[in-house]
Amino acid sequence: MSAVEPAPLPVGLPANLKANPRLSLWLGIAADGRVTVRSGKVDLGQGISRALSQIVADGLNVDIDRIHMLPASTTGSPNEGVTSGSLSVQDSGSALRHVCALARAIYLKAAALALGLAEADIPALTVTDGRIESAQSPRSTSYWELADDALLAVDADPHAIAITGLNAPHRPRYVGLPVPREDIARKVMGVPSFIHDLNFAGMLHGRVVHPPSGRAELTGVELAAVRATPGVVAVLRDGNFLAVLATGEYQAVQAAAKLAALSTWRETADLPDAQNLSRFLRSQPLEASLVGEKAAADMRVQSPGVLQFSASYSRPFLAHASIGPSCAVAQFTEVESSNSGEASLEVWSHTQGIYNLRADLALLLKLPPQNIAVHHVEGAGCYGHNGADDVAADAALLARAVPGQPVRVVWSREDELGVAPFGPAMAVDLKAELGADGRIAVWQHEVWSNGHGLRPGRGQSPVLLAGTLLEKPFERLVSVNPPLANGGGAERNSVPLYDFAQWKATSHRLLTMPVRSSALRSLGAHGNVFAAESFMDEIASAAGVDPLEFRLRHLADAGSARAREVLQTAALNAGCAQRNDAKPPGQGMGLAVARYKNKGAYCAVVARVDASRALRVTDLWIAVDVGLVINPDGVANQIEGGAIQTVSWVLKEAVQFDATRITSTSWGAYPILTFSEVPRVHVHLIDRPGEKSVGAGEATHGPVAAAIANALFDATGVRARDMPFTPDRLREAALAQ
């Protein structure tokens, strides 16, 4: 893939730049030839720093080695909300592209003045690695010679690009090319890179003893015995919040184990039946909302020859299951020691939202937000609202107990799998009517689920776990769904991709929350696309129509060209046209397609499975359209990672619990895909330079799940509708058919 010309910049500012209009907040140009870039989006290991640096290098016409991406921090980065929803390139990249065009216009105007040129000569100026030249002058200058902080200490002018005639793009050097990431070599060589590697002078180590279940109440604890343990600096109790501070990590772990053993709790058996979550979801108090509909509201077809179909699908609660447990460092400064005369807090966290976390910490500690600094440091894997924010709150509370000393808190594996927010369980009912013309005439989609959002910084009460455990606790809030305009939550991708004559989508949000739930990668798209694309396959099979042809039949309108192309490309690459009845016994292929959030990336998947002994996914062929591809390696890596994670979700993962507590708090009880089980993943990118860039990280989760289910049916005739597809579940499905 080679560098390609992007579309011209539109007049008007992207939302993130409009909210943070000061150019110097995003960009700095120094006399030593360095370009510093601040984005409010954080690098979670997805390589966003490299993609954004490519955009900046091309936007300014400088060598990419000059670009220095600064970690996000509330002390100087623009507030771009949460890094989620596959929006970093789409939103922050768009903002930076505009910032660079505006900065380039400002510097070219300054260059013209320095070279004695008229304003009319500005469009003829050329920039090569920051060196500015003109055919009208024998002299030249550069960004570095003109460098002045005052030049960018201005707000973005939405009309400046058009006024200067610089909206026509120049041919890029980096966008569209697989420019290697700078962080990979450091990580491979074991250079300290993660938040777990932070080590400050005088740092103490903390551990929190979490309640054994969500509603447990502490009835007794022997603090004195733990305080006497060697290396222990402090033992804290505030209501149900229990923690230890020690001089070393080993001492903290030992003291926490002792504290847990010397604590007694009163628990409540109030959890639902983990083996029958669909029934539970449908039985709870609900808030129903119409997601959308088309044509007749009564959902009836008057034409003869109609075939009716219905099916129900589900997924369980899912854990984030990050390999590296959550970690944070905090340092609290008392009023007496503060230069400002006010208490302050500094936090290092792998949160996905530095400003959101700051807002909740301010509520938790009753500090002004401006007295709290949150710095992002990369963690070892993050797929949504995991324990990063909660452990930051733990560290902040412990740091307040020892002012002036840095405190590092690491969660245990049991914490990570037992008390971090889970991805909500989902139940989906689908109904359809197939007309005599072989087309779906009516489609009805209903989803039951907890809300998929309980992130910090979005309300008047903190949602941090520690806040609900204090003697004066904050309210335990029930998760909600993001607005549909932002992609939605449980209802994400419940609106059909296809051009059905009539359709209706309804979401039922639970008003109770027995298991703490929040955002997990792709939110409701995973469950909804799994259900919808499985159902499409079921109808095609019943109608005796090839599943690819059946989908293309419903993607006939002009707006479906990109969906058709990814489908046909994935099918062609997988050799679907050569499928025949001579396939090996127990092997099968299935396909699925979706457009993430109905407005993001198009993704089609063909899965091949071998179910001759145990169900195994051997190959995934994926075609994806993310618009303009900034870094093809970065996109492919995100697609591969999302696909492999989905295979793990589909085949293995489910949070387990009894009537009282979470029981899947170890890798033995919560298995994930092993390296030997990883399928071959073949990714094909369809680059569209004339389209805006959209994210890739969450596009695969729905289509991969459905493609596996459809391949299983092709291989065995068993229609699996409830994830995960464990041997027991598949036996039940086979017996039920």
Side-chain angles (χ1 to χ4, degrees):
M1 188 172 289
S2 59
V4 290
E5 294 188 11
L9 286 171
V11 176
L13 301 180
N16 287 17
L17 181 54
K18 190 179 296 184
N20 305 273
R22 185 55 55 105
L23 299 182
S24 57
L25 190 62
W26 300 82
L27 194 68
I29 295 176
D32 63 1
R34 291 164 56 96
V35 177
T36 55
V37 181
R38 300 176 185 86
S39 167
K41 299 296 185 181
V42 302
D43 203 317
L44 308 167
Q46 80 276 40
I48 189 63
S49 296
R50 175 49 84 199
L52 295 180
S53 70
Q54 290 176 247
I55 292 171
V56 172
D58 279 345
L60 294 176
N61 293 100
V62 299
D63 288 348
I64 200 166
D65 290 342
R66 295 186 182 274
I67 308 298
H68 295 268
M69 301 295 300
L70 300 180
S73 171
T74 58
T75 60
S77 300
N79 185 351
E80 294 195 86
V82 177
T83 304
S84 63
S86 296
L87 293 174
S88 295
V89 166
Q90 178 176 322
D91 291 352
S92 195
S94 177
L96 282 169
R97 190 177 171 207
H98 279 74
V99 167
C100 290
L102 292 165
R104 188 169 177 267
I106 289 169
Y107 269 84
L108 289 184
K109 187 174 182 179
L113 184 64
L115 298 175
L117 300 174
E119 189 168 325
D121 297 322
I122 291 177
L125 292 173
T126 60
V127 183
T128 306
D129 189 24
R131 172 63 52 182
I132 305 171
E133 299 175 301
S134 171
Q136 282 77 34
S137 173
R139 298 164 53 212
S140 67
T141 185
S142 68
Y143 292 149
W144 335 119
E145 293 168 34
L146 298 168
D148 183 348
D149 291 342
L151 288 175
L152 298 182
V154 296
D155 286 353
D157 181 350
H159 305 292
I161 296 172
I163 291 172
T164 58
L166 295 171
N167 61 321
H170 52 276
R171 188 165 185 82
R173 292 174 59 193
Y174 299 107
V175 167
L177 296 179
V179 181
R181 287 167 51 173
E182 295 178 298
D183 61 318
I184 298 298
R186 295 196 304 270
K187 291 171 180 174
V188 170
M189 298 306 294
V191 176
S193 302
F194 298 103
I195 189 165
H196 307 73
D197 300 317
L198 289 181
N199 189 13
F200 296 107
M203 188 168 72
L204 298 178
H205 297 262
R207 286 293 188 280
V208 174
V209 177
H210 288 106
S213 55
R215 300 285 178 178
E217 295 182 11
L218 185 62
T219 57
V221 59
E222 298 179 33
L223 301 179
V226 182
R227 290 192 178 107
T229 305
V232 170
V233 174
V235 181
L236 286 73
R237 179 191 178 180
D238 186 343
N240 292 321
F241 181 79
L242 275 180
V244 297
L245 276 167
T247 54
E249 184 171 5
Y250 176 77
Q251 289 82 357
V253 171
Q254 293 295 103
K258 187 173 183 179
L259 182 59
L262 295 174
S263 304
T264 55
W265 301 82
R266 180 171 56 249
E267 299 183 71
T268 303
D270 59 353
L271 297 184
D273 181 359
Q275 307 310 314
N276 201 347
L277 288 175
S278 291
R279 179 184 298 174
F280 167 77
L281 295 174
R282 291 177 171 87
S283 68
Q284 296 302 291
L286 297 164
E287 176 187 75
S289 59
L290 176 67
V291 181
E293 63 181 339
K294 176 184 176 183
D298 61 5
M299 305 303 294
R300 289 180 297 183
V301 172
Q302 305 302 323
S303 60
V306 170
L307 297 177
Q308 296 184 335
F309 299 88
S310 64
S312 298
Y313 305 84
S314 73
R315 82 164 198 180
F317 290 99
L318 293 171
H320 289 81
S322 300
I323 299 297
S326 298
C327 176
V329 179
Q331 184 168 357
F332 187 86
T333 302
E334 286 188 309
V335 175
E336 297 79 21
S337 305
S338 171
N339 293 328
S340 66
E342 294 182 292
S344 61
L345 175 71
E346 194 164 9
V347 175
W348 293 261
S349 169
H350 54 111
T351 176
Q352 287 183 278
I354 53 174
Y355 284 96
N356 291 56
L357 174 57
R358 185 181 74 167
D360 265 26
L361 288 174
L363 294 170
L364 178 70
L365 300 174
K366 296 180 173 56
L367 287 175
Q370 63 270 22
N371 288 23
I372 300 175
V374 179
H375 313 290
H376 182 265
V377 184
E378 191 175 346
C382 182
Y383 316 108
H385 182 192
N386 66 356
D389 299 298
D390 292 324
V391 76
D394 294 343
L397 289 170
L398 269 63
R400 188 173 61 175
V402 285
Q405 288 187 269
V407 172
R408 175 180 178 267
V409 178
V410 182
W411 273 13
S412 66
R413 175 59 50 202
E414 291 74 18
D415 292 333
E416 199 68 35
L417 291 174
V419 301
F422 298 121
M426 298 177 64
V428 179
D429 284 357
L430 290 170
K431 296 179 182 179
E433 296 182 1
L434 186 69
D437 60 355
R439 290 177 54 85
I440 291 175
V442 175
W443 180 276
Q444 187 168 352
H445 188 128
E446 290 191 86
V447 55
W448 287 260
S449 176
N450 274 116
H452 287 242
L454 196 62
R455 287 186 183 274
R458 296 176 175 174
Q460 298 304 309
S461 181
V463 298
L464 303 166
L465 177 61
T468 67
L469 302 177
L470 302 178
E471 182 69 30
K472 296 181 179 179
F474 291 92
E475 181 183 2
R476 293 175 183 262
L477 299 175
V478 175
S479 55
V480 297
N481 288 312
L484 191 60
N486 296 339
E491 71 273 41
R492 182 169 293 181
N493 278 97
S494 62
V495 171
L497 173 69
Y498 303 100
D499 49 327
F500 300 144
Q502 300 178 51
W503 61 265
K504 184 177 182 180
T506 308
S507 176
H508 306 273
R509 181 178 71 88
L510 270 68
L511 300 179
T512 60
M513 192 173 69
V515 176
R516 188 168 177 242
S517 305
S518 189
L520 177 64
R521 200 173 187 184
S522 83
L523 279 66
H526 172 238
N528 286 318
V529 174
F530 160 67
E533 284 297 288
S534 295
F535 197 47
M536 284 290 287
D537 233 60
E538 294 194 38
I539 298 172
S541 176
V545 182
D546 177 80
L548 174 60
E549 194 281 325
F550 190 69
R551 286 170 171 80
L552 294 175
R553 182 183 297 176
H554 294 86
L555 291 169
D557 67 357
S560 300
R562 294 169 73 177
R564 289 196 303 272
E565 185 169 356
V566 291
L567 254 179
Q568 292 168 320
T569 301
L572 178 65
N573 291 343
C576 286
Q578 286 74 49
R579 293 173 60 192
N580 54 55
D581 294 334
K583 64 185 179 183
Q587 293 191 15
M589 298 176 74
L591 60 82
V593 65
R595 185 182 188 188
Y596 185 52
K597 300 183 188 175
N598 292 91
K599 59 183 179 181
Y602 294 86
C603 180
V605 179
V606 175
R608 181 163 62 197
V609 304
D610 185 344
S612 54
R613 294 186 178 178
L615 177 58
R616 179 183 177 89
V617 181
T618 63
D619 291 270
L620 295 170
W621 290 269
I622 304 175
V624 63
D625 174 354
V626 296
L628 169 64
V629 175
I630 303 300
N631 187 312
D633 275 359
V635 174
N637 289 340
Q638 284 290 283
I639 293 297
E640 290 169 3
I644 293 168
Q645 182 180 47
T646 308
V647 174
S648 186
W649 285 359
V650 173
L651 299 188
K652 298 195 170 200
E653 296 187 37
V655 175
Q656 301 294 333
F657 44 87
D658 57 24
T660 303
R661 61 174 68 174
I662 305 297
T663 58
S664 52
T665 57
S666 68
W667 290 127
Y670 191 91
I672 61 174
L673 204 68
T674 63
F675 284 109
S676 63
E677 295 170 317
V678 171
R680 293 177 291 268
V681 183
H682 318 271
V683 178
H684 183 98
L685 304 182
I686 299 174
D687 193 17
R688 297 193 185 277
E691 301 288 344
K692 69 177 182 179
S693 299
V694 295
E698 300 176 320
T700 60
H701 290 70
V704 167
I708 294 171
N710 297 334
L712 173 66
F713 177 78
D714 184 52
T716 66
V718 174
R719 181 63 68 181
R721 299 190 181 102
D722 302 296
M723 295 184 280
F725 299 166
T726 61
D728 288 344
R729 285 277 181 88
L730 294 182
R731 277 191 292 270
E732 291 173 5
L735 291 172
Q737 293 180 195

